[in-house]
């Protein structure tokens, strides 16, 4: 749950960064599903295929942003483990 991760981060800037990254990921996923529906209705439309490809790249970028924020938050924990 994103709210748990958000509250566990002690750095408010990092918590906000994670929150924004998750919101952007959600928006990108919604857009991808919408375009996927268009693709299903028009399977041979090359314009929609290009939009679907672009939207999937955006989702990958947003996932990377979420992972980067989580990784940044885990640096102190990893230092304690080592």
């Amino acid at each position: 749950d994103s709210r748990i991760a958000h509250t566990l981060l002690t750095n408010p800037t990092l918590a906000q960064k994670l929150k924004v990254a998750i919101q952007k990921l959600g928006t990108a996923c919604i857009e991808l599903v919408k375009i996927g529906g268009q693709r299903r209705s028009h399977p041979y439309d090359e314009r929609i295929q290009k939009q679907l490809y672009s939207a999937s790249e955006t989702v990958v970028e947003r996932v990377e942003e979420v992972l980067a924020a989580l990784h940044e938050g885990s640096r102190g924990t990893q230092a304690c483990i080592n």
Side-chain angles (χ1 to χ4, degrees), residues 2 16-30 62 65-66:
S2 64
Q16 182 64 23
K17 184 177 181 180
L18 178 61
K19 179 181 176 181
V20 169
I22 291 171
Q23 288 172 339
K24 286 182 177 181
L25 174 59
T27 302
C29 288
I30 291 168
R62 300 300 181 235
E65 290 174 7
V66 170

Side-chain angles (χ1 to χ4, degrees), residues 3-61:
R3 283 177 265 174
I4 294 171
H6 183 266
T7 57
L8 290 176
L9 292 172
T10 56
N11 182 337
T13 304
L14 187 56
Q16 182 64 23
K17 184 177 181 180
L18 178 61
K19 179 181 176 181
V20 169
I22 291 171
Q23 288 172 339
K24 286 182 177 181
L25 174 59
T27 302
C29 288
I30 291 168
E31 187 63 26
L32 180 63
V33 170
K34 287 179 182 178
I35 296 170
Q38 291 175 0
R39 176 72 175 163
R40 189 169 185 174
S41 298
H42 308 283
Y44 302 108
D45 189 333
E46 289 184 29
R47 181 184 55 84
I48 294 174
Q49 174 63 29
K50 289 177 184 176
Q51 289 176 341
L52 187 63
Y53 181 78
S54 176
S56 64
E57 286 182 328
T58 301
V59 168
V60 170
E61 291 171 6

Side-chain angles (χ1 to χ4, degrees), residues 12 68 75:
R75 287 187 185 147

Side-chain angles (χ1 to χ4, degrees), residues 61-75:
E61 291 171 6
R62 300 300 181 235
V63 167
E64 290 172 349
E65 290 174 7
V66 170
L67 291 174
L70 289 171
H71 180 71
E72 191 174 334
S74 71
R75 287 187 185 147

